[in-house]
Amino acid sequence: MSNVGYYIFVLVALMVAFIVVKKVASCMIKTAVLIALIVILAVVYWLYFM
């Protein structure tokens, strides 16, 4: 399976999450959401692409 689709998914997810969080949350919540998103994407990668 090609990782190109995964990388495109990650970039789109990060952009959407950043825009949404920027509009509705404070700095501490932004940091927590970004860390959670990175952890979730890492888990998805390890479970489905490794």
Side-chain angles (χ1 to χ4, degrees), residues 8-33:
I8 291 171
F9 167 73
V10 169
L11 290 174
V12 170
L14 286 174
M15 287 188 297
V16 169
F18 179 75
I19 291 169
V20 169
V21 171
K22 185 178 176 184
K23 297 286 184 189
V24 299
S26 69
C27 186
M28 291 300 289
I29 296 174
K30 286 183 200 178
T31 304
V33 169

Side-chain angles (χ1 to χ4, degrees), residues 23-45:
K23 297 286 184 189
V24 299
S26 69
C27 186
M28 291 300 289
I29 296 174
K30 286 183 200 178
T31 304
V33 169
L34 184 59
I35 291 171
L37 180 62
I38 290 170
V39 169
I40 290 168
L41 290 173
V43 168
V44 168
Y45 177 78

